[in-house]
Amino acid sequence: MPSYSSWNRVKCSASKHLLTDILKHEMGFEGFLISDYNAIDQISPNYKKDVAISINAGIDMVMLTEKYPELFSDLQQLASDGSIPMTRIDDAVTRILRVKFAMGLMDKTAPRWLIADYRRLLARPHIGKSHVRRCANLSYC
């Protein structure tokens, strides 16, 4: 997950060099990249431009709040006019589906409780670490 951070004054969510050239191509990362919560809003003052920059940089899935209708509309327009190539959309979808299939999430025979337990099992150690890091930076935890 690319964060709100910047590297060489470029937001990580906007850096094709970091996300695609290095992580995906040089390092062979086959998973998918999900944006940090509303992080693409920090790229520029123009949200539609933010969508194009972040998706073309290598973000495969965007995590956001109430802006999803705007994201869907902008993404459709940007794909239709060629600002986001269909090959980029295909790559993002392939990466997301590859992970879902590998986790068994697309298997109709997998019981829902198993999937939920698996997600909790994966998340549990990270929740504790996340809380500790957050508390280290705050005086009221």
Side-chain angles (χ1 to χ4, degrees):
M1 175 186 289
S3 69
Y4 293 98
S5 304
S6 298
W7 188 61
N8 290 336
R9 298 180 188 208
V10 176
K11 291 290 182 183
C12 290
S13 296
S15 178
K16 185 175 187 212
H17 177 68
L18 287 177
L19 303 180
T20 299
D21 299 342
I22 294 176
L23 183 62
K24 291 180 177 180
H25 293 155
E26 286 182 33
M27 297 177 76
F29 178 68
E30 292 184 347
F32 66 92
L33 294 172
I34 183 168
S35 72
D36 209 337
Y37 193 67
N38 288 333
I40 68 170
D41 290 357
Q42 296 185 0
I43 295 171
S44 80
N46 181 324
Y47 188 70
K48 188 173 184 178
K49 183 178 176 183
D50 295 345
V51 172
I53 290 170
S54 63
I55 300 298
N56 285 326
I59 296 289
D60 300 307
M61 182 183 285
V62 179
M63 184 168 37
L64 47 89
T65 55
E66 61 276 341
K67 279 192 171 183
Y68 67 90
E70 189 177 352
L71 172 74
F72 291 157
S73 174
D74 290 345
L75 192 53
Q76 240 179 349
Q77 290 172 7
L78 292 163
S80 294
D81 73 15
S83 298
I84 298 176
M86 194 52 65
T87 54
R88 178 64 202 105
I89 303 288
D90 290 343
D91 177 61
V93 170
T94 300
R95 288 172 175 279
I96 293 165
L97 289 177
R98 181 186 301 133
V99 170
K100 285 186 170 194
F101 276 104
M103 292 178 66
L105 298 176
M106 303 302 279
D107 183 1
K108 289 186 179 187
T109 62
R112 288 288 162 225
W113 63 265
L114 178 61
I115 293 168
D117 285 351
Y118 181 68
R119 288 180 183 157
R120 278 193 288 277
L121 181 67
L122 289 175
R124 189 168 288 126
H126 301 289
I127 292 168
K129 291 176 188 174
S130 171
H131 184 69
V132 169
R133 284 191 198 123
R134 190 168 153 234
C135 287
N137 295 328
L138 303 173
S139 59
Y140 56 84
C141 270

